[in-house]
Amino acid sequence: MRKKIIIGNWKMFKSNKEAVEFITEVESKLNLNSDTVAGIAVPFTMLSDARKAAKKLVISAQNCYFEKEGAFTGEISIPMLKSINVDYVVIGHSERRDIFKETDEMINEKNKALLASGLTPILCCGESLETYEAGKTIEWVKNQIVKAFKGISEEDAKKVVIAYEPIWAIGTGKVATPEIAQNVCSEIRSIIKDIYNDNVSQAILIQYGGSVKPDNISDILNQDDIDGALVGGASLQVESFLGLLK
Ligand code: 13P
């Protein structure tokens, strides 16, 4: 049985103080079973304090750079994240791809470097509304997945968490139906099977993200190939975040 993994992506919201208060309050009310991983992806400035405050939640960064060190003004390396015990790192979020022009090749470098360092990548993929309406979702996502896993061993591939986030469902309130989400996540599992084998494809965790809320999360998580959710807006308030974990 695969675990469930529910991660809140805070994007560029909240202060350090708010992050620590949030974690303290959530953890005082949280009863997690051993089959569920829950956590938050916070901005870089909050990672250290969030990591120290969190006992039950895992803490994720929202990005990283793949070089160990060097003249890369404004970037944060994986050893830096490791030194403060960050657990997960989101890579290839559509906002990074679209606004900051990250390429599939950069995301592949990040994926490889994270796995080599023992951190867990949460690798995002997903299509635009235009691609969705053109019926090219699978083709698009396949290209992103194949490129992201280039040069990654079977053993390492199993450790990656894939997050399927259709761009048209992010922050729009327009959630993909559980059937649409299941269909794409099942296709992603077969793409992984084609690259590796059945063993890897059955082990790998696949999340859905895009307008997930406390009132629609159970229908989504009930789908066979969906192992969790990556949640933006609904992860920012304590009650709503706890509602996602019920
Ligand atoms: P929303 O849940 O706000 O739609 O955001 C989804 C997302 O981008 C998570 O990474």
Side-chain angles (χ1 to χ4, degrees):
M1 256 271 286
R2 292 187 295 266
K3 288 192 180 223
K4 292 283 184 226
I5 175 161
I6 296 160
I7 303 287
N9 174 9
W10 280 3
K11 309 193 177 186
M12 201 173 71
F13 287 99
K14 291 196 191 287
S15 68
N16 236 30
K17 183 166 171 280
E18 287 167 334
V20 172
E21 285 169 0
F22 179 101
I23 292 166
T24 311
E25 191 180 346
V26 162
E27 294 210 344
S28 73
K29 297 178 177 168
L30 188 63
N31 256 329
L32 275 183
N33 66 42
S34 59
D35 294 334
T36 306
V37 176
I40 41 176
V42 303
F44 285 130
T45 49
M46 293 162 217
L47 279 170
S48 183
D49 283 354
R51 182 57 284 169
K52 284 180 201 145
K55 306 284 179 279
K56 304 178 192 169
L57 297 174
V58 297
I59 300 297
S60 175
Q62 298 175 9
N63 187 24
C64 65
Y65 195 55
F66 50 84
E67 296 287 359
K68 285 198 174 70
E69 59 182 11
F72 303 104
T73 303
E75 291 299 309
I76 304 284
S77 75
I78 295 165
M80 290 171 188
L81 297 175
K82 222 181 152 172
S83 75
I84 54 167
N85 301 316
V86 165
D87 310 291
Y88 291 75
V89 181
V90 175
I91 54 172
H93 193 280
S94 59
E95 288 148 20
R96 300 273 351 146
R97 294 178 189 258
D98 289 351
I99 307 170
F100 301 101
K101 309 296 171 217
E102 291 195 12
T103 63
D104 287 314
E105 289 68 30
M106 289 164 75
I107 293 154
N108 173 243
E109 291 297 338
K110 294 179 188 203
N111 204 10
K112 287 191 289 195
L114 282 167
L115 290 163
S117 307
L119 294 190
T120 306
I122 299 177
L123 165 73
C124 302
C125 60
E127 81 289 2
S128 66
L129 184 61
E130 200 186 351
T131 303
Y132 171 70
E133 286 178 345
K136 295 193 168 151
T137 298
I138 304 304
E139 194 183 315
W140 181 270
V141 167
K142 181 173 181 180
N143 180 52
Q144 289 181 323
I145 297 284
V146 167
K147 288 183 172 160
F149 280 89
K150 203 166 164 218
I152 289 172
S153 72
E154 187 182 320
E155 245 352 270
D156 275 347
K158 282 186 200 166
K159 299 173 192 158
V160 178
V161 177
I162 299 176
Y164 167 58
E165 299 203 307
I167 299 168
W168 48 269
I170 296 178
T172 56
K174 199 171 159 187
V175 62
T177 63
E179 292 72 29
I180 295 176
Q182 159 59 23
N183 178 44
V184 181
C185 291
S186 143
E187 290 286 349
I188 292 172
R189 220 176 273 293
S190 3
I191 295 163
I192 294 295
K193 185 176 169 186
D194 291 345
I195 306 174
Y196 297 97
N197 52 45
D198 200 40
N199 181 17
V200 178
S201 83
Q202 287 308 314
I204 205 161
L205 298 179
I206 306 179
Q207 298 176 304
Y208 166 80
S211 297
V212 175
K213 308 275 181 258
D215 63 5
N216 61 24
I217 192 167
S218 57
D219 285 345
I220 292 166
L221 295 191
N222 275 336
Q223 305 301 312
D224 286 350
D225 287 295
I226 304 181
D227 308 308
L230 188 58
V231 187
S235 71
L236 286 164
Q237 306 305 326
V238 169
E239 285 315 314
S240 167
F241 184 75
L242 286 169
L244 296 165
L245 302 174
K246 284 229 171 84

